């Protein structure tokens, strides 16, 4: 009986070895299989090209002309706009205003990481606090600008709250460059804290829970868990947040434009570019300024990626 079984097994193996390989799929089927993914990408790629890359190409082309944004005719000026841009240092002095927002973004990242770490554990009313932190990001930026415009005005909400606490102040919060930029940067922190908070929270919650249990068995406290588990696990998200914060600090527009219009030393590079294009009808020069800002953001991003590359994180 055993010999019969062995003989049958050998014959089956021999038959499997000599069985013909399955015929390859017809050429039209293989061609269709290769084209199908691109058909799904066709619509998003078309939208990306039409609404992103085509406007960028037009902006670069306009930067070499003297177009005023209205006339149907434009004249090729070569690098004249860039020459004017770099020979007028006052056009780059507004970049110092971005320093306020850059400092505010550091506070914003630290606060978002702190709240995300705390609320990733079992805390009472944590869902309520998650909603409170993320809610400002859902509000329209124009509405936020008008709300805080009344908040910082003389005798407004902030002065009323301070008077209830016994603090009397006659400060014009938007009256001097330092106080105005500090106030606007604080509004920016309040608005965008929720975005960073959600990014950090999602990254922290993606870390396997078994790591925390093992760390607790080894006697690790919350600080040790943050240092050795959370911080390495969210490094890619932290790097992305830093890039977004730096680029956002260099291209601030909405809040200062609504609240001050760039007055009192709060004009940013983007507000200046908009004024060049629509107030002074220098669309060519404004396009050159926009190209320079884009190159600055790309250069800063490249340097940041070189200094802190995204290494592969393997916690398990």
């Amino acid at each position: 009986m055993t010999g019969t079984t062995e003989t049958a097994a050998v014959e089956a193996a021999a038959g499997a070895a000599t069985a013909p390989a399955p015929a390859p799929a017809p050429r039209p089927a293989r061609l269709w299989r290769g084209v199908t993914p691109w058909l799904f990408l066709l619509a998003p790629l078309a939208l990306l090209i039409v609404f992103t890359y085509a406007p960028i190409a037009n902006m670069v082309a306009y930067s070499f002309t003297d177009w005023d944004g209205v006339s149907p005719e434009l004249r090729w000026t070569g690098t004249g706009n860039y020459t004017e841009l770099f020979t007028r240092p006052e056009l780059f002095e507004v970049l110092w205003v971005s320093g306020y927002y850059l400092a505010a973004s550091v506070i914003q990242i630290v606060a978002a990481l702190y709240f995300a770490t705390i609320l990733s554990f079992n805390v009472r009313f944590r869902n309520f606090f998650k909603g409170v932190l993320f809610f400002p990001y859902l509000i329209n930026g124009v509405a936020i600008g008008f709300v805080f415009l009344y908040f910082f005005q003389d005798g407004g909400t902030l002065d009323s709250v301070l008077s209830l606490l016994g603090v009397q102040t006659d400060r014009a919060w938007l009256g001097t460059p330092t106080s105005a930029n500090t106030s606007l940067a604080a509004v920016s922190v309040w608005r965008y804290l929720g975005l960073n908070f959600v990014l950090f929270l999602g990254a922290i919650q993606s870390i396997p829970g078994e790591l925390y249990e093992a760390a607790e068995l080894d006697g690790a406290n919350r600080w040790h868990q943050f240092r050795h588990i959370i911080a390495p696990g969210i490094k890619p998200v932290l790097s992305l947040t830093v890039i977004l914060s730096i680029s956002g600090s260099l291209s601030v527009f909405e809040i200062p434009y609504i609240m001050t219009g760039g007055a009192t030393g709060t004009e940013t590079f983007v507000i200046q570019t908009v004024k060049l294009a629509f107030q002074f009808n220098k669309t060519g020069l404004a396009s050159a300024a926009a190209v320079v800002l884009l190159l600055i953001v790309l250069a800063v991003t490249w340097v940041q990626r070189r200094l802190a590359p995204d290494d592969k994180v393997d916690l398990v």
Side-chain angles (χ1 to χ4, degrees):
M1 187 69 178
T2 304
T4 304
T5 305
E6 292 178 353
T7 302
V10 171
E11 292 177 353
T18 58
R27 182 178 179 83
R30 287 185 281 117
L31 181 62
W32 180 256
R33 190 181 303 127
V35 171
T36 300
W38 292 101
L39 294 178
F40 285 100
L41 292 174
L42 188 61
L45 285 176
L47 293 174
L48 184 65
I49 292 173
V50 171
F51 294 104
T52 300
Y53 293 114
I56 291 177
N58 286 333
M59 179 182 69
V60 174
Y62 290 146
S63 68
F64 295 100
T65 68
D66 64 348
W67 190 41
D68 59 2
V70 179
S71 174
E73 298 180 358
L74 48 87
R75 183 169 56 90
W76 181 266
T77 60
T79 58
N81 289 323
Y82 293 95
T83 302
E84 180 180 357
L85 192 65
F86 287 102
T87 54
R88 294 175 57 183
E90 68 273 9
L91 296 179
F92 286 95
E93 289 178 357
V94 294
L95 285 176
W96 291 106
V97 176
S98 299
Y100 289 92
Y101 297 94
L102 188 61
S105 66
V106 175
I107 300 174
Q108 176 179 293
I109 291 175
V110 172
L113 183 57
Y114 172 79
F115 288 120
T117 304
I118 295 298
L119 296 178
S120 63
F121 297 102
N122 290 326
V123 179
R124 295 183 61 184
F125 306 111
R126 65 173 181 173
N127 290 331
F128 169 76
F129 290 115
K130 289 178 184 178
V132 169
L133 290 171
F134 186 67
F135 178 72
Y137 184 70
L138 301 177
I139 305 176
N140 182 270
V142 177
I144 290 177
F146 280 113
V147 167
F148 279 93
L149 182 61
Y150 291 103
F151 181 82
F152 286 116
Q153 72 178 1
D154 296 339
T157 306
L158 181 57
D159 288 340
S160 300
V161 172
L162 291 177
S163 63
L164 291 176
L165 298 176
V167 179
Q168 299 296 330
T169 176
D170 56 354
R171 175 187 295 273
W173 299 103
L174 301 178
T176 62
T178 301
S179 62
N181 284 307
T182 303
S183 301
L184 297 178
V187 176
S188 180
V189 171
W190 181 82
R191 188 192 177 191
Y192 293 103
L193 177 66
L195 175 61
N196 291 335
F197 165 75
V198 169
L199 292 175
F200 288 140
L201 185 64
I204 293 174
Q205 291 183 343
S206 66
I207 299 175
E210 294 81 1
L211 297 179
Y212 298 108
E213 297 176 0
E216 290 178 355
L217 291 177
D218 291 338
N221 55 27
R222 294 301 188 194
W223 166 248
H224 293 145
Q225 293 178 18
F226 174 81
R227 180 180 177 184
H228 298 288
I229 298 178
I230 295 178
I234 66 172
K235 185 178 178 181
V237 176
L238 182 61
S239 177
L240 172 64
T241 305
V242 171
I243 292 175
L244 293 177
S245 299
I246 294 176
S247 60
S249 300
L250 294 173
S251 56
V252 176
F253 171 72
E254 197 173 42
I255 290 176
Y257 187 77
I258 295 299
M259 295 183 63
T260 64
T264 324
T266 60
E267 187 176 64
T268 63
F269 196 85
V270 177
I271 293 177
Q272 175 182 261
T273 302
V274 170
K275 287 184 176 181
L276 286 174
F278 299 103
Q279 184 174 340
F280 301 105
N281 294 330
K282 294 184 177 181
T283 304
L285 182 60
S287 299
V291 171
V292 171
L293 179 61
L294 176 62
L295 294 177
I296 292 174
V297 172
L298 292 177
V300 171
T301 302
W302 181 82
V303 171
Q304 192 273 337
R305 301 286 289 183
R306 296 287 294 179
L307 295 177
D310 284 341
D311 299 328
K312 183 179 179 180
V313 178
D314 190 8
L315 296 176
V316 294

